[in-house]
PDB file of all heavy atoms in Angstrom:
ATOM      1  N   LYS A   1      57.676 -41.970   3.182  1.00 94.00           N
ATOM      2  CA  LYS A   1      58.821 -41.196   2.698  1.00 94.00           C
ATOM      3  C   LYS A   1      59.835 -41.104   3.830  1.00 94.00           C
ATOM      4  O   LYS A   1      59.462 -41.026   4.992  1.00 94.00           O
ATOM      5  CB  LYS A   1      58.331 -39.790   2.317  1.00 94.00           C
ATOM      6  CG  LYS A   1      59.380 -38.903   1.667  1.00 94.00           C
ATOM      7  CD  LYS A   1      58.718 -37.581   1.230  1.00 94.00           C
ATOM      8  CE  LYS A   1      59.719 -36.643   0.588  1.00 94.00           C
ATOM      9  NZ  LYS A   1      59.105 -35.362   0.226  1.00 94.00           N
ATOM     10  N   LYS A   2      61.118 -41.132   3.473  1.00 94.00           N
ATOM     11  CA  LYS A   2      62.163 -40.950   4.473  1.00 94.00           C
ATOM     12  C   LYS A   2      63.144 -39.903   3.992  1.00 94.00           C
ATOM     13  O   LYS A   2      63.730 -40.021   2.919  1.00 94.00           O
ATOM     14  CB  LYS A   2      62.907 -42.272   4.727  1.00 94.00           C
ATOM     15  CG  LYS A   2      64.089 -42.148   5.696  1.00 94.00           C
ATOM     16  CD  LYS A   2      63.623 -41.780   7.090  1.00 94.00           C
ATOM     17  CE  LYS A   2      64.782 -41.524   8.025  1.00 94.00           C
ATOM     18  NZ  LYS A   2      64.319 -41.059   9.346  1.00 94.00           N
ATOM     19  N   VAL A   3      63.295 -38.848   4.795  1.00 92.00           N
ATOM     20  CA  VAL A   3      64.264 -37.796   4.478  1.00 92.00           C
ATOM     21  C   VAL A   3      65.272 -37.732   5.619  1.00 92.00           C
ATOM     22  O   VAL A   3      64.888 -37.636   6.792  1.00 92.00           O
ATOM     23  CB  VAL A   3      63.566 -36.418   4.340  1.00 92.00           C
ATOM     24  CG1 VAL A   3      64.580 -35.346   3.963  1.00 92.00           C
ATOM     25  CG2 VAL A   3      62.460 -36.472   3.299  1.00 92.00           C
ATOM     26  N   TYR A   4      66.549 -37.825   5.285  1.00 89.00           N
ATOM     27  CA  TYR A   4      67.588 -37.609   6.300  1.00 89.00           C
ATOM     28  C   TYR A   4      67.971 -36.134   6.262  1.00 89.00           C
ATOM     29  O   TYR A   4      68.532 -35.669   5.261  1.00 89.00           O
ATOM     30  CB  TYR A   4      68.823 -38.464   6.006  1.00 89.00           C
ATOM     31  CG  TYR A   4      68.592 -39.928   6.255  1.00 89.00           C
ATOM     32  CD1 TYR A   4      68.401 -40.812   5.201  1.00 89.00           C
ATOM     33  CD2 TYR A   4      68.538 -40.428   7.559  1.00 89.00           C
ATOM     34  CE1 TYR A   4      68.172 -42.168   5.438  1.00 89.00           C
ATOM     35  CE2 TYR A   4      68.307 -41.777   7.799  1.00 89.00           C
ATOM     36  CZ  TYR A   4      68.130 -42.635   6.737  1.00 89.00           C
ATOM     37  OH  TYR A   4      67.895 -43.963   6.969  1.00 89.00           O
ATOM     38  N   PRO A   5      67.651 -35.382   7.335  1.00 86.00           N
ATOM     39  CA  PRO A   5      67.960 -33.949   7.311  1.00 86.00           C
ATOM     40  C   PRO A   5      69.466 -33.724   7.266  1.00 86.00           C
ATOM     41  O   PRO A   5      70.239 -34.588   7.692  1.00 86.00           O
ATOM     42  CB  PRO A   5      67.390 -33.432   8.643  1.00 86.00           C
ATOM     43  CG  PRO A   5      66.631 -34.560   9.239  1.00 86.00           C
ATOM     44  CD  PRO A   5      67.099 -35.825   8.606  1.00 86.00           C
ATOM     45  N   PHE A   6      69.880 -32.556   6.738  1.00 77.00           N
ATOM     46  CA  PHE A   6      71.296 -32.214   6.774  1.00 77.00           C
ATOM     47  C   PHE A   6      71.709 -32.068   8.228  1.00 77.00           C
ATOM     48  O   PHE A   6      70.920 -31.628   9.069  1.00 77.00           O
ATOM     49  CB  PHE A   6      71.558 -30.912   6.000  1.00 77.00           C
ATOM     50  CG  PHE A   6      71.314 -31.068   4.530  1.00 77.00           C
ATOM     51  CD1 PHE A   6      70.294 -30.357   3.898  1.00 77.00           C
ATOM     52  CD2 PHE A   6      72.074 -31.947   3.780  1.00 77.00           C
ATOM     53  CE1 PHE A   6      70.052 -30.515   2.550  1.00 77.00           C
ATOM     54  CE2 PHE A   6      71.828 -32.109   2.419  1.00 77.00           C
ATOM     55  CZ  PHE A   6      70.828 -31.396   1.807  1.00 77.00           C
ATOM     56  N   VAL A   7      72.984 -32.356   8.500  1.00 69.00           N
ATOM     57  CA  VAL A   7      73.425 -32.440   9.898  1.00 69.00           C
ATOM     58  C   VAL A   7      73.146 -31.154  10.657  1.00 69.00           C
ATOM     59  O   VAL A   7      72.564 -31.158  11.717  1.00 69.00           O
ATOM     60  CB  VAL A   7      74.928 -32.805   9.978  1.00 69.00           C
ATOM     61  CG1 VAL A   7      75.390 -32.822  11.420  1.00 69.00           C
ATOM     62  CG2 VAL A   7      75.149 -34.169   9.345  1.00 69.00           C
ATOM     63  N   SER A   8      73.559 -30.022  10.096  1.00 56.00           N
ATOM     64  CA  SER A   8      73.235 -28.792  10.815  1.00 56.00           C
ATOM     65  C   SER A   8      72.692 -27.769   9.835  1.00 56.00           C
ATOM     66  O   SER A   8      73.208 -26.686   9.666  1.00 56.00           O
ATOM     67  CB  SER A   8      74.458 -28.250  11.547  1.00 56.00           C
ATOM     68  OG  SER A   8      75.505 -28.077  10.627  1.00 56.00           O
ATOM     69  N   GLY A   9      71.668 -28.176   9.149  1.00 47.00           N
ATOM     70  CA  GLY A   9      70.925 -27.269   8.270  1.00 47.00           C
ATOM     71  C   GLY A   9      71.798 -26.512   7.288  1.00 47.00           C
ATOM     72  O   GLY A   9      72.620 -27.077   6.595  1.00 47.00           O
ATOM     73  N   GLU A  10      71.642 -25.176   7.294  1.00 49.00           N
ATOM     74  CA  GLU A  10      72.286 -24.331   6.287  1.00 49.00           C
ATOM     75  C   GLU A  10      73.817 -24.422   6.361  1.00 49.00           C
ATOM     76  O   GLU A  10      74.481 -24.431   5.352  1.00 49.00           O
ATOM     77  CB  GLU A  10      71.845 -22.868   6.485  1.00 49.00           C
ATOM     78  CG  GLU A  10      70.399 -22.617   6.089  1.00 49.00           C
ATOM     79  CD  GLU A  10      70.111 -23.032   4.669  1.00 49.00           C
ATOM     80  OE1 GLU A  10      70.864 -22.649   3.767  1.00 49.00           O
ATOM     81  OE2 GLU A  10      69.142 -23.785   4.473  1.00 49.00           O
ATOM     82  N   ASP A  11      74.370 -24.496   7.602  1.00 46.00           N
ATOM     83  CA  ASP A  11      75.831 -24.506   7.737  1.00 46.00           C
ATOM     84  C   ASP A  11      76.424 -25.660   6.949  1.00 46.00           C
ATOM     85  O   ASP A  11      77.413 -25.529   6.266  1.00 46.00           O
ATOM     86  CB  ASP A  11      76.251 -24.692   9.214  1.00 46.00           C
ATOM     87  CG  ASP A  11      75.601 -23.636  10.089  1.00 46.00           C
ATOM     88  OD1 ASP A  11      75.174 -22.638   9.502  1.00 46.00           O
ATOM     89  OD2 ASP A  11      75.535 -23.816  11.310  1.00 46.00           O
ATOM     90  N   LYS A  12      75.774 -26.806   7.068  1.00 46.00           N
ATOM     91  CA  LYS A  12      76.266 -28.023   6.406  1.00 46.00           C
ATOM     92  C   LYS A  12      76.317 -27.799   4.907  1.00 46.00           C
ATOM     93  O   LYS A  12      77.269 -28.141   4.238  1.00 46.00           O
ATOM     94  CB  LYS A  12      75.346 -29.190   6.766  1.00 46.00           C
ATOM     95  CG  LYS A  12      75.622 -30.483   6.047  1.00 46.00           C
ATOM     96  CD  LYS A  12      76.738 -31.220   6.735  1.00 46.00           C
ATOM     97  CE  LYS A  12      76.879 -32.661   6.328  1.00 46.00           C
ATOM     98  NZ  LYS A  12      76.780 -33.077   5.052  1.00 46.00           N
ATOM     99  N   LYS A  13      75.248 -27.148   4.384  1.00 46.00           N
ATOM    100  CA  LYS A  13      75.182 -26.944   2.940  1.00 46.00           C
ATOM    101  C   LYS A  13      76.240 -25.920   2.499  1.00 46.00           C
ATOM    102  O   LYS A  13      76.844 -26.063   1.470  1.00 46.00           O
ATOM    103  CB  LYS A  13      73.784 -26.484   2.539  1.00 46.00           C
ATOM    104  CG  LYS A  13      72.810 -27.632   2.420  1.00 46.00           C
ATOM    105  CD  LYS A  13      71.558 -27.217   1.695  1.00 46.00           C
ATOM    106  CE  LYS A  13      70.552 -26.694   2.696  1.00 46.00           C
ATOM    107  NZ  LYS A  13      69.275 -26.382   2.049  1.00 46.00           N
ATOM    108  N   LYS A  14      76.449 -24.883   3.354  1.00 45.00           N
ATOM    109  CA  LYS A  14      77.414 -23.843   2.995  1.00 45.00           C
ATOM    110  C   LYS A  14      78.825 -24.407   2.938  1.00 45.00           C
ATOM    111  O   LYS A  14      79.622 -24.033   2.117  1.00 45.00           O
ATOM    112  CB  LYS A  14      77.353 -22.712   4.025  1.00 45.00           C
ATOM    113  CG  LYS A  14      76.253 -21.712   3.723  1.00 45.00           C
ATOM    114  CD  LYS A  14      76.239 -20.630   4.788  1.00 45.00           C
ATOM    115  CE  LYS A  14      74.874 -19.972   4.830  1.00 45.00           C
ATOM    116  NZ  LYS A  14      74.563 -19.423   6.140  1.00 45.00           N
ATOM    117  N   LYS A  15      79.106 -25.338   3.871  1.00 43.00           N
ATOM    118  CA  LYS A  15      80.446 -25.905   3.949  1.00 43.00           C
ATOM    119  C   LYS A  15      80.787 -26.743   2.724  1.00 43.00           C
ATOM    120  O   LYS A  15      81.924 -26.934   2.383  1.00 43.00           O
ATOM    121  CB  LYS A  15      80.596 -26.777   5.197  1.00 43.00           C
ATOM    122  CG  LYS A  15      81.204 -26.025   6.360  1.00 43.00           C
ATOM    123  CD  LYS A  15      81.469 -26.965   7.497  1.00 43.00           C
ATOM    124  CE  LYS A  15      80.375 -26.859   8.537  1.00 43.00           C
ATOM    125  NZ  LYS A  15      80.489 -27.801   9.613  1.00 43.00           N
ATOM    126  N   LYS A  16      79.779 -27.252   2.059  1.00 46.00           N
ATOM    127  CA  LYS A  16      80.013 -28.127   0.899  1.00 46.00           C
ATOM    128  C   LYS A  16      80.684 -27.344  -0.216  1.00 46.00           C
ATOM    129  O   LYS A  16      80.345 -26.200  -0.473  1.00 46.00           O
ATOM    130  CB  LYS A  16      78.673 -28.685   0.373  1.00 46.00           C
ATOM    131  CG  LYS A  16      78.214 -29.863   1.149  1.00 46.00           C
ATOM    132  CD  LYS A  16      77.144 -30.561   0.373  1.00 46.00           C
ATOM    133  CE  LYS A  16      76.708 -31.801   1.101  1.00 46.00           C
ATOM    134  NZ  LYS A  16      77.779 -32.780   1.219  1.00 46.00           N
ATOM    135  N   ASN A  17      81.618 -27.980  -0.877  1.00 46.00           N
ATOM    136  CA  ASN A  17      82.249 -27.360  -2.031  1.00 46.00           C
ATOM    137  C   ASN A  17      81.250 -27.393  -3.190  1.00 46.00           C
ATOM    138  O   ASN A  17      80.853 -28.459  -3.636  1.00 46.00           O
ATOM    139  CB  ASN A  17      83.508 -28.176  -2.370  1.00 46.00           C
ATOM    140  CG  ASN A  17      84.226 -27.602  -3.576  1.00 46.00           C
ATOM    141  OD1 ASN A  17      83.661 -26.787  -4.302  1.00 46.00           O
ATOM    142  ND2 ASN A  17      85.451 -28.031  -3.788  1.00 46.00           N
ATOM    143  N   PRO A  18      80.822 -26.231  -3.671  1.00 43.00           N
ATOM    144  CA  PRO A  18      79.805 -26.214  -4.731  1.00 43.00           C
ATOM    145  C   PRO A  18      80.272 -26.926  -6.006  1.00 43.00           C
ATOM    146  O   PRO A  18      79.483 -27.344  -6.815  1.00 43.00           O
ATOM    147  CB  PRO A  18      79.559 -24.729  -4.983  1.00 43.00           C
ATOM    148  CG  PRO A  18      80.727 -24.021  -4.395  1.00 43.00           C
ATOM    149  CD  PRO A  18      81.286 -24.886  -3.308  1.00 43.00           C
ATOM    150  N   ASP A  19      81.614 -27.041  -6.185  1.00 43.00           N
ATOM    151  CA  ASP A  19      82.128 -27.709  -7.392  1.00 43.00           C
ATOM    152  C   ASP A  19      82.088 -29.227  -7.283  1.00 43.00           C
ATOM    153  O   ASP A  19      82.405 -29.923  -8.229  1.00 43.00           O
ATOM    154  CB  ASP A  19      83.569 -27.273  -7.666  1.00 43.00           C
ATOM    155  CG  ASP A  19      83.651 -25.756  -7.866  1.00 43.00           C
ATOM    156  OD1 ASP A  19      82.641 -25.199  -8.334  1.00 43.00           O
ATOM    157  OD2 ASP A  19      84.685 -25.160  -7.526  1.00 43.00           O
ATOM    158  N   GLN A  20      81.747 -29.731  -6.088  1.00 40.00           N
ATOM    159  CA  GLN A  20      81.679 -31.179  -5.929  1.00 40.00           C
ATOM    160  C   GLN A  20      80.229 -31.615  -5.802  1.00 40.00           C
ATOM    161  O   GLN A  20      79.626 -31.522  -4.743  1.00 40.00           O
ATOM    162  CB  GLN A  20      82.433 -31.609  -4.668  1.00 40.00           C
ATOM    163  CG  GLN A  20      83.938 -31.552  -4.842  1.00 40.00           C
ATOM    164  CD  GLN A  20      84.633 -32.076  -3.609  1.00 40.00           C
ATOM    165  OE1 GLN A  20      84.223 -31.799  -2.491  1.00 40.00           O
ATOM    166  NE2 GLN A  20      85.679 -32.847  -3.812  1.00 40.00           N
ATOM    167  N   PRO A  21      79.637 -32.075  -6.900  1.00 37.00           N
ATOM    168  CA  PRO A  21      78.225 -32.466  -6.826  1.00 37.00           C
ATOM    169  C   PRO A  21      78.055 -33.723  -5.975  1.00 37.00           C
ATOM    170  O   PRO A  21      78.990 -34.503  -5.806  1.00 37.00           O
ATOM    171  CB  PRO A  21      77.867 -32.754  -8.292  1.00 37.00           C
ATOM    172  CG  PRO A  21      79.162 -33.054  -8.957  1.00 37.00           C
ATOM    173  CD  PRO A  21      80.224 -32.303  -8.221  1.00 37.00           C
ATOM    174  N   GLU A  22      76.841 -33.892  -5.432  1.00 40.00           N
ATOM    175  CA  GLU A  22      76.507 -35.098  -4.660  1.00 40.00           C
ATOM    176  C   GLU A  22      76.553 -36.294  -5.596  1.00 40.00           C
ATOM    177  O   GLU A  22      75.674 -36.479  -6.401  1.00 40.00           O
ATOM    178  CB  GLU A  22      75.075 -34.964  -4.112  1.00 40.00           C
ATOM    179  CG  GLU A  22      74.944 -33.991  -2.976  1.00 40.00           C
ATOM    180  CD  GLU A  22      75.373 -34.602  -1.665  1.00 40.00           C
ATOM    181  OE1 GLU A  22      75.584 -35.822  -1.617  1.00 40.00           O
ATOM    182  OE2 GLU A  22      75.510 -33.860  -0.690  1.00 40.00           O
ATOM    183  N   LYS A  23      77.579 -37.131  -5.471  1.00 39.00           N
ATOM    184  CA  LYS A  23      77.619 -38.238  -6.424  1.00 39.00           C
ATOM    185  C   LYS A  23      77.664 -39.594  -5.711  1.00 39.00           C
ATOM    186  O   LYS A  23      77.626 -40.635  -6.327  1.00 39.00           O
ATOM    187  CB  LYS A  23      78.833 -38.047  -7.354  1.00 39.00           C
ATOM    188  CG  LYS A  23      78.724 -38.738  -8.681  1.00 39.00           C
ATOM    189  CD  LYS A  23      77.530 -38.269  -9.486  1.00 39.00           C
ATOM    190  CE  LYS A  23      77.029 -39.336 -10.446  1.00 39.00           C
ATOM    191  NZ  LYS A  23      75.742 -39.891 -10.132  1.00 39.00           N
ATOM    192  N   LYS A  24      77.777 -39.554  -4.368  1.00 41.00           N
ATOM    193  CA  LYS A  24      77.982 -40.808  -3.652  1.00 41.00           C
ATOM    194  C   LYS A  24      76.819 -41.762  -3.850  1.00 41.00           C
ATOM    195  O   LYS A  24      76.979 -42.941  -4.078  1.00 41.00           O
ATOM    196  CB  LYS A  24      78.194 -40.532  -2.156  1.00 41.00           C
ATOM    197  CG  LYS A  24      78.715 -41.754  -1.405  1.00 41.00           C
ATOM    198  CD  LYS A  24      79.180 -41.377  -0.038  1.00 41.00           C
ATOM    199  CE  LYS A  24      78.046 -41.214   0.947  1.00 41.00           C
ATOM    200  NZ  LYS A  24      77.301 -42.413   1.274  1.00 41.00           N
ATOM    201  N   ILE A  25      75.617 -41.243  -3.759  1.00 50.00           N
ATOM    202  CA  ILE A  25      74.430 -42.078  -3.956  1.00 50.00           C
ATOM    203  C   ILE A  25      73.486 -41.336  -4.887  1.00 50.00           C
ATOM    204  O   ILE A  25      73.510 -40.119  -4.947  1.00 50.00           O
ATOM    205  CB  ILE A  25      73.701 -42.368  -2.614  1.00 50.00           C
ATOM    206  CG1 ILE A  25      73.719 -41.126  -1.720  1.00 50.00           C
ATOM    207  CG2 ILE A  25      74.281 -43.566  -1.919  1.00 50.00           C
ATOM    208  CD1 ILE A  25      72.999 -41.288  -0.422  1.00 50.00           C
ATOM    209  N   ASN A  26      72.649 -42.092  -5.581  1.00 57.00           N
ATOM    210  CA  ASN A  26      71.757 -41.452  -6.558  1.00 57.00           C
ATOM    211  C   ASN A  26      70.456 -41.013  -5.912  1.00 57.00           C
ATOM    212  O   ASN A  26      69.403 -41.163  -6.493  1.00 57.00           O
ATOM    213  CB  ASN A  26      71.423 -42.431  -7.681  1.00 57.00           C
ATOM    214  CG  ASN A  26      72.677 -42.922  -8.339  1.00 57.00           C
ATOM    215  OD1 ASN A  26      73.613 -42.157  -8.474  1.00 57.00           O
ATOM    216  ND2 ASN A  26      72.701 -44.177  -8.737  1.00 57.00           N
ATOM    217  N   LEU A  27      70.509 -40.557  -4.685  1.00 61.00           N
ATOM    218  CA  LEU A  27      69.272 -40.179  -4.018  1.00 61.00           C
ATOM    219  C   LEU A  27      69.041 -38.692  -4.191  1.00 61.00           C
ATOM    220  O   LEU A  27      69.975 -37.919  -4.377  1.00 61.00           O
ATOM    221  CB  LEU A  27      69.336 -40.559  -2.538  1.00 61.00           C
ATOM    222  CG  LEU A  27      69.549 -42.049  -2.292  1.00 61.00           C
ATOM    223  CD1 LEU A  27      69.679 -42.313  -0.805  1.00 61.00           C
ATOM    224  CD2 LEU A  27      68.413 -42.877  -2.847  1.00 61.00           C
ATOM    225  N   GLN A  28      67.797 -38.314  -4.087  1.00 69.00           N
ATOM    226  CA  GLN A  28      67.436 -36.925  -4.359  1.00 69.00           C
ATOM    227  C   GLN A  28      67.854 -36.032  -3.188  1.00 69.00           C
ATOM    228  O   GLN A  28      67.624 -36.361  -2.026  1.00 69.00           O
ATOM    229  CB  GLN A  28      65.921 -36.881  -4.525  1.00 69.00           C
ATOM    230  CG  GLN A  28      65.428 -35.610  -5.144  1.00 69.00           C
ATOM    231  CD  GLN A  28      63.913 -35.604  -5.179  1.00 69.00           C
ATOM    232  OE1 GLN A  28      63.296 -36.657  -5.238  1.00 69.00           O
ATOM    233  NE2 GLN A  28      63.328 -34.440  -5.114  1.00 69.00           N
ATOM    234  N   ILE A  29      68.487 -34.924  -3.512  1.00 75.00           N
ATOM    235  CA  ILE A  29      68.855 -33.956  -2.482  1.00 75.00           C
ATOM    236  C   ILE A  29      67.825 -32.823  -2.530  1.00 75.00           C
ATOM    237  O   ILE A  29      67.612 -32.227  -3.579  1.00 75.00           O
ATOM    238  CB  ILE A  29      70.264 -33.356  -2.755  1.00 75.00           C
ATOM    239  CG1 ILE A  29      71.273 -34.453  -3.090  1.00 75.00           C
ATOM    240  CG2 ILE A  29      70.739 -32.499  -1.606  1.00 75.00           C
ATOM    241  CD1 ILE A  29      71.634 -35.396  -2.000  1.00 75.00           C
ATOM    242  N   THR A  30      67.168 -32.548  -1.410  1.00 74.00           N
ATOM    243  CA  THR A  30      66.176 -31.455  -1.392  1.00 74.00           C
ATOM    244  C   THR A  30      66.568 -30.469  -0.296  1.00 74.00           C
ATOM    245  O   THR A  30      67.543 -30.676   0.419  1.00 74.00           O
ATOM    246  CB  THR A  30      64.765 -32.001  -1.069  1.00 74.00           C
ATOM    247  OG1 THR A  30      64.788 -32.496   0.279  1.00 74.00           O
ATOM    248  CG2 THR A  30      64.363 -33.115  -2.011  1.00 74.00           C
TER     249      THR A  30
END
């Protein structure tokens, strides 16, 4: 299994615009 961690954990996720879903690649976000 290969997981690429978020760049800076929670901050990275908070910065994301919740209205913009992950669509660039069809990989699972956990």
Side-chain angles (χ1 to χ4, degrees):
K1 186 175 179 183
K2 176 65 186 175
V3 182
Y4 289 104
F6 293 115
V7 177
S8 55
E10 289 304 310
D11 305 341
K12 174 82 166 42
K13 279 195 270 185
K14 276 179 202 153
K15 265 186 260 175
K16 278 195 177 296
N17 179 346
D19 301 331
Q20 285 184 319
E22 287 280 350
K23 203 60 207 112
K24 193 168 79 66
I25 39 178
N26 303 324
L27 301 177
Q28 195 184 332
I29 313 292
T30 66

